[in-house]
Amino acid sequence: MDFNMKKLASDAGIFFTRAVQFTEEKFGQAEKTELDAHFENLLARADSTKNWTERILRQTEVLLQPNPSARVEEFLYEKLDRKVPSRVTNGELLAQYMAEAASELGPSTPYGKTLIKVSEAEKRLGAAERDFIHTASLSFLTPLRNFLEGDWKTISKERRLLQNRRLDLDACKARLKKAKAAEAKATCEGDTVPDFQETRPRNYILSASASALWNDEVDKAEQELRVAQTEFDRQAEVTRLLLEGISSTHVNHLRCLHEFVKSQTTYYAQCYRHMLDLQKQLGSSQGAIFPGTFVGTTEPASPPLSSTSPTTTAATMPVVPTGAGLAPPEEAALCLEEVAPPASGTRKARVLYDYEAADSSELALLADELITVYSLPGMDPDWLIGERGNKKGKVPVTYLELLS
């Protein structure tokens, strides 16, 4: 118990000394040891990394789960180390409602059949969204959260310890400065009684001269300063190494960011394929229900090839051009067999996305393959003639990246 009381008294004394030093620094009454410029830059970069990581983490969570109540529930499950229950996505819920509506309104009616087709597509979209959320959480959110809850807490702890070591060092410097000033004064005035209120007496021998007492006080202050300087330098080196590790953190976060973009690209590509399949199904059924009605996309056609750069084409999700201005499939197929490629004007093109031919006049495409393309007079600018080996057919421009 006696040992604990002594330790408590010692800790209280250290805390009081640090508090006095900190207060005097704030009021400009004490000198402060400044860190070098490189160290300050490391601190600023670490703080910036932490702040932006928190913002990116929060906004990504909003992107994956817009419902704030659901986010709070997931947060509580994680803090309690319990498995987050599976949650139905909005697409899956919509698919369920459409399937139930079709069952009640009549699955054999045109409206009921369409509801069933759309519900199946929405279910596939919901499943793709679930996979995307799971993949993004593991490959992107988890590393960011591990940094904030692991590495950053370690850095913050060492920074606080460095701050305490600096306060101890500056307090020792101030104590040594006062002791030397008092020693010089005592030397000039001869043997005098020390000012105990100023110097905090430490079991001095009252019979000794004041000059000898101050010499002892200076020696003790210098010893304490050397110890404090050593501890400060050691802690500064430890903190510096941790702060320099932020560069490795950036590399890791960059890798995770690439994984996030990859998963997001896969998700939107799946959504596009599902909706394209649904559009084809609805188009064929619409033609059977409403004979003579034009079936195609309601979006405007893509701009001409001359105004579309390869970069823009590659970054934009393709829109299937409408069939306006095209000849009937039988006539187009006949014309293509008889048409020879021009002597000049053919170009190589890389296929950006898979494309399924709608009829015999079109050429099916596989992503990343190279084909030869050219245009014919009077042809729709949204289409080109593509050749691969002995196969020939129309191909949509939005699926291609023209090469030089």
Side-chain angles (χ1 to χ4, degrees):
M1 183 65 180
D2 186 32
F3 173 79
N4 292 336
M5 288 299 298
K6 289 182 179 180
K7 186 177 183 303
L8 180 62
S10 176
D11 293 342
I14 294 175
F15 175 79
F16 179 75
T17 302
R18 292 170 179 171
V20 171
Q21 178 66 26
F22 182 80
T23 304
E24 290 179 350
E25 289 176 358
K26 290 299 181 181
F27 285 98
Q29 299 176 357
E31 297 181 0
K32 177 182 178 181
T33 300
E34 297 294 341
L35 302 171
D36 59 84
H38 177 63
F39 201 97
E40 292 289 351
N41 290 335
L42 291 177
L43 290 174
R45 187 177 66 156
D47 290 333
S48 180
T49 300
K50 180 255 184 182
N51 293 334
W52 283 112
T53 300
E54 285 182 335
R55 294 182 183 182
I56 293 174
L57 175 64
R58 287 197 297 266
Q59 193 57 38
T60 307
E61 290 175 343
V62 173
L63 173 67
L64 299 180
Q65 180 51 263
N67 189 344
S69 300
R71 292 199 304 272
V72 172
E73 181 181 352
E74 293 175 358
F75 174 79
L76 294 177
Y77 274 104
E78 291 177 359
K79 290 301 179 181
L80 296 175
D81 292 332
R82 299 180 60 183
K83 184 179 179 181
V84 180
S86 178
R87 192 184 305 275
V88 178
T89 62
N90 293 329
E92 292 172 329
L93 188 60
L94 177 60
Q96 178 183 345
Y97 290 163
M98 286 184 173
E100 294 176 355
S103 177
E104 184 172 342
L105 298 177
S108 58
T109 63
Y111 182 43
K113 292 180 179 179
T114 304
L115 280 175
I116 293 177
K117 293 180 180 179
V118 176
S119 68
E120 293 175 352
E122 293 294 337
K123 187 176 181 180
R124 290 192 292 269
L125 291 177
E129 180 183 3
R130 183 191 301 277
D131 293 339
F132 167 60
I133 293 175
H134 177 71
T135 304
S137 298
L138 290 180
S139 62
F140 190 61
L141 291 184
T142 299
L144 298 186
R145 194 176 291 113
N146 289 341
F147 165 73
L148 294 174
E149 297 179 355
D151 295 347
W152 182 251
K153 286 187 176 180
T154 302
I155 293 175
S156 300
K157 178 182 176 181
E158 298 300 331
R159 286 178 65 177
R160 288 192 299 269
L161 189 56
L162 178 63
Q163 173 73 355
N164 292 336
R165 293 290 182 261
R166 187 196 62 78
L167 291 174
D168 294 340
L169 176 62
D170 290 337
C172 290
K173 289 181 179 179
R175 189 178 303 117
L176 177 61
K177 183 178 180 181
K178 291 180 181 180
K180 286 185 175 181
E183 181 188 22
K185 182 179 179 181
T187 303
C188 294
E189 296 179 358
D191 294 342
T192 58
V193 178
D195 185 356
F196 292 119
Q197 292 183 350
E198 180 183 359
T199 60
R200 300 174 188 172
R202 301 174 184 271
N203 299 325
Y204 294 110
I205 302 175
L206 297 179
S207 61
S209 65
S211 180
L213 290 176
W214 283 118
N215 286 335
D216 294 340
E217 182 67 15
V218 170
D219 292 341
K220 191 171 185 178
E222 290 177 346
Q223 177 63 26
E224 292 177 352
L225 177 60
R226 284 192 294 270
V227 174
Q229 184 69 54
T230 301
E231 293 180 352
F232 173 78
D233 293 341
R234 184 187 300 112
Q235 184 58 37
E237 184 63 22
V238 171
T239 308
R240 184 192 302 274
L241 292 176
L242 290 175
L243 293 176
E244 290 175 348
I246 292 294
S247 299
S248 300
T249 300
H250 287 180
V251 173
N252 184 38
H253 288 183
L254 175 62
R255 187 184 306 110
C256 297
L257 184 60
H258 280 284
E259 292 295 330
F260 175 72
V261 172
K262 180 180 178 181
S263 62
Q264 199 170 27
T265 303
T266 302
Y267 166 63
Y268 285 116
Q270 290 176 346
C271 293
Y272 175 76
R273 286 197 297 269
H274 294 329
M275 295 309 298
L276 187 62
D277 293 341
L278 176 62
Q279 188 181 45
K280 291 180 178 179
Q281 295 178 18
L282 296 183
S284 59
S285 62
Q286 184 178 356
I289 298 172
F290 306 103
T293 303
F294 169 72
V295 179
T297 60
T298 58
E299 300 182 11
S302 302
L305 181 60
S306 59
S307 64
T308 305
S309 64
T311 304
T312 306
T313 304
T316 307
M317 185 63 72
V319 177
V320 180
T322 62
L326 299 178
E330 297 79 12
E331 181 180 349
L334 179 63
C335 294
L336 289 177
E337 293 296 333
E338 298 176 352
V339 171
S344 61
T346 61
R347 300 179 64 178
K348 289 292 184 180
R350 184 176 69 89
V351 179
L352 299 176
Y353 312 95
D354 293 345
Y355 177 73
E356 296 182 5
D359 51 56
S360 59
S361 67
E362 298 180 2
L363 181 66
L365 303 175
L366 296 176
D368 295 329
E369 71 173 334
L370 294 178
I371 61 174
T372 302
V373 295
Y374 54 89
S375 180
L376 298 176
M379 190 173 180
D380 190 325
D382 291 330
W383 293 83
L384 293 173
I385 301 299
E387 289 187 359
R388 182 180 60 242
N390 58 354
K391 295 183 179 180
K392 181 189 304 184
K394 299 193 303 295
V395 293
V397 173
T398 51
Y399 278 70
L400 304 175
E401 177 185 358
L402 298 180
L403 305 177
S404 56

